[in-house]
């Protein structure tokens, strides 16, 4: 008798499960239910014109934080995010500081294996130097220092950074984050797998070569390869193959979720949130991107990303103060054109389009 009641109970539960699942809409359904902003049609028209006059593709996600309304342009596609992935590194660091596990005044020892090509002053420090976490954080976020980034990733653990990123974004929203030196290894391994053995100092030397042809020649000589052993004929093709993976890539709407979690105090506590946003507001690596188009009366706490034929800018834009403040998350990337100046012009035009479409109007 008891077994029959258990069986009947399980049957009733099984019958109820579909209706229970229907009662809880999926993440995608919740997003679809968001109201379309009044400025959506105007912004879509501007973005269509911009992309028509651009040799590549434009990806944009714009979200009003107060209302939750949003607009996406190719934002559900996977985009290589470049140095935007440094934001989860910063959030993981601030979360550890907030938990009392470490202090921004703690020092990390710079190892010779930490050096990576790119901007920032960390490469000018000598091996064995003790650098404060605060300095590394600020250099990573403000000037996008790759060596500082890899030092922090080494200290925090890559698995912890990836867990933090997955926790703050929807399933499948972001691909795996790697170290910055591994970005180079994975890209140049498409020329030949032996590139995985190269270190940061090799990539610093490679960066000194001004053209792709000169870099390919240096790489062939450094690896001891004959022309016949090259698996692709150009650096450009090597990077295109790398971009076809999901490494350091993701959907722009998912990255906007990460920014929203930070802005709303769900990623960090009040003090850590304010400190990180303050650092992001001092970013200098994107003066010609979104910030140039938004105008001086809009404050932008953001992070930029730059790689071969890939340029991004993403952040929280705020107009006004106090109860009258209007906060808008903007994530914008372009891909295709080689000319950095042209790519930055497009991102500035995106910022201008967001403002003029009315995203900051109450």
């Amino acid at each position: 008798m008891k077994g029959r009641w258990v069986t009947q109970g399980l049957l009733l539960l099984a019958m109820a499960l579909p209706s229970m699942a229907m009662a809880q809409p999926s993440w995608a359904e919740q997003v679809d239910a968001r109201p379309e902003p009044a400025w959506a049609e105007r912004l879509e028209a501007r973005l269509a014109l911009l992309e028509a006059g651009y040799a590549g593709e434009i990806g944009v996600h714009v979200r009003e934080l107060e209302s939750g309304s949003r607009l996406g342009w190719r934002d559900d596609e996977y985009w290589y995010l470049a140095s935007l992935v440094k934001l989860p590194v910063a959030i993981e660091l601030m979360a550890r500081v907030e938990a009392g596990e470490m202090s921004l005044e703690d020092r990390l020892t710079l190892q010779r294996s930490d050096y990576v090509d790119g901007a920032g002053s960390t490469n000018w420090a000598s091996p064995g130097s003790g650098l404060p976490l605060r300095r590394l954080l600020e250099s990573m976020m403000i000037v996008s220092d790759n060596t500082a980034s890899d030092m922090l990733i080494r200290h925090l653990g890559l698995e912890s950074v990836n867990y933090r990123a997955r926790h703050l974004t929807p399933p499948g929203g972001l691909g795996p984050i790697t170290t910055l030196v591994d970005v180079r290894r994975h890209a140049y391994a498409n020329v030949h797998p032996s590139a995985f053995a190269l270190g940061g100092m090799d990539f610093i030397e490679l960066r000194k070569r001004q053209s792709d042809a000169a870099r390919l020649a240096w790489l062939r000589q450094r690896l001891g390869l004959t022309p016949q052993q090259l698996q692709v004929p150009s650096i450009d093709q090597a990077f295109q193959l790398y971009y076809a993976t999901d490494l350091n890539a993701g959907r722009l709407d998912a990255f906007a979720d990460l920014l929203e979690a930070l802005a709303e105090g769900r990623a960090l506590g009040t003090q850590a949130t304010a400190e990180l946003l303050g650092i992001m507001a001092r970013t200098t690596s994107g003066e010609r991107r979104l910030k140039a188009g938004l105008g001086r009366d809009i404050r932008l706490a953001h992070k930029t990303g730059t790689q071969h034929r890939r340029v991004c800018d993403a952040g929280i834009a705020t107009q006004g103060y106090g109860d009258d403040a209007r906060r808008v998350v903007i994530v914008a990337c372009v891909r295709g054109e080689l000319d950095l100046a042209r790519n930055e012009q497009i991102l500035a035009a995106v910022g201008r389009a967001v403002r003029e479409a009315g995203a900051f109007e109450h």
Side-chain angles (χ1 to χ4, degrees), residues 99-165:
E101 298 177 17
M102 56 188 67
S103 165
L104 290 181
E105 308 315 314
D106 293 346
R107 291 177 175 267
L108 288 187
T109 301
L110 175 62
Q111 300 176 4
R112 187 171 178 82
S113 58
D114 289 322
Y115 290 106
V116 192
D117 60 294
S121 62
T122 311
N123 280 353
W124 298 106
S126 302
S129 301
L131 305 178
L133 292 180
R134 182 182 302 278
R135 171 180 166 179
L136 295 174
L137 171 64
E138 292 178 346
S139 193
M140 174 179 70
M141 298 303 290
I142 295 173
V143 298
S144 209
D145 188 318
N146 289 335
T147 299
S149 304
D150 274 6
M151 289 182 69
L152 289 174
I153 291 173
R154 170 169 60 82
H155 185 59
L156 298 168
L158 191 58
E159 184 177 345
S160 296
V161 171
N162 274 289
Y163 178 82
R164 182 74 57 176

Side-chain angles (χ1 to χ4, degrees), residues 40-228:
E41 189 174 342
R42 293 191 295 272
L43 182 55
E44 283 184 333
R46 291 284 294 269
L47 293 176
L49 285 173
L50 280 176
E51 192 168 73
Y54 178 61
E57 294 177 333
I58 300 172
V60 179
H61 182 92
V62 183
R63 181 181 307 181
E64 296 177 357
L65 287 181
E66 279 65 40
S67 69
S69 60
R70 60 194 66 191
L71 179 136
W73 182 274
R74 298 184 184 273
D75 65 338
D76 58 348
E77 299 177 13
Y78 248 56
W79 290 76
Y80 178 69
L81 299 174
S83 289
L84 295 191
V85 300
K86 294 171 183 175
L87 179 57
V89 179
I91 292 175
E92 175 65 16
L93 173 61
M94 294 304 296
R96 300 276 193 94
V97 171
E98 197 171 43
E101 298 177 17
M102 56 188 67
S103 165
L104 290 181
E105 308 315 314
D106 293 346
R107 291 177 175 267
L108 288 187
T109 301
L110 175 62
Q111 300 176 4
R112 187 171 178 82
S113 58
D114 289 322
Y115 290 106
V116 192
D117 60 294
S121 62
T122 311
N123 280 353
W124 298 106
S126 302
S129 301
L131 305 178
L133 292 180
R134 182 182 302 278
R135 171 180 166 179
L136 295 174
L137 171 64
E138 292 178 346
S139 193
M140 174 179 70
M141 298 303 290
I142 295 173
V143 298
S144 209
D145 188 318
N146 289 335
T147 299
S149 304
D150 274 6
M151 289 182 69
L152 289 174
I153 291 173
R154 170 169 60 82
H155 185 59
L156 298 168
L158 191 58
E159 184 177 345
S160 296
V161 171
N162 274 289
Y163 178 82
R164 182 74 57 176
R166 290 193 302 269
H167 179 69
L168 296 171
T169 55
L174 297 181
I177 296 171
T178 73
T179 61
L180 279 300
V181 72
D182 272 349
V183 169
R184 280 90 176 128
R185 288 177 177 138
H186 281 280
Y188 289 109
N190 290 311
V191 175
H192 194 274
S194 59
F196 271 117
L198 297 176
M201 297 302 295
D202 291 310
F203 296 118
I204 289 175
E205 284 299 317
L206 182 61
R207 180 75 173 266
K208 294 176 182 177
R209 276 65 191 175
Q210 297 301 311
S211 69
D212 278 4
R215 290 178 182 180
L216 187 63
W218 184 92
L219 196 63
R220 185 170 64 81
Q221 183 179 21
R222 172 67 178 81
L223 297 175
L225 303 172
T226 65
Q228 293 72 27

Side-chain angles (χ1 to χ4, degrees), residues 219-359:
L219 196 63
R220 185 170 64 81
Q221 183 179 21
R222 172 67 178 81
L223 297 175
L225 303 172
T226 65
Q228 293 72 27
Q229 290 176 299
L230 300 181
Q231 297 188 352
V232 293
S234 68
I235 298 296
D236 187 76
Q237 190 168 340
F239 271 91
Q240 296 308 318
L241 290 172
Y242 171 63
Y243 295 146
T245 72
D246 62 352
L247 296 176
N248 303 295
R251 300 198 317 265
L252 304 190
D253 58 352
F255 196 84
D257 286 348
L258 182 71
L259 286 166
E260 181 179 4
L262 177 62
E264 298 294 324
R266 290 183 278 107
L268 298 167
T270 303
Q271 183 175 345
T273 297
E275 188 158 8
L276 180 53
L277 289 176
I279 292 171
M280 293 169 65
R282 293 158 51 199
T283 295
T284 60
S285 57
E287 295 296 313
R288 296 185 180 90
R289 302 183 187 182
L290 288 175
K291 195 173 180 180
L294 288 171
R296 293 184 178 181
D297 62 324
I298 294 178
R299 305 179 302 283
L300 184 64
H302 62 135
K303 181 72 194 77
T304 61
T306 309
Q307 190 56 275
H308 181 83
R309 294 188 187 273
R310 299 291 189 274
V311 180
C312 294
D313 197 359
I316 303 155
T318 305
Q319 186 180 54
Y321 295 89
D323 293 339
D324 292 328
R326 186 79 162 175
R327 296 181 304 160
V328 177
V329 166
I330 308 173
V331 185
C333 292
V334 295
R335 60 190 178 198
E337 282 209 9
L338 187 59
D339 184 9
L340 175 60
R342 174 59 177 159
N343 291 328
E344 291 188 321
Q345 287 174 0
I346 293 295
L347 290 179
V350 169
R352 190 176 307 112
V354 171
R355 179 193 178 109
E356 294 178 354

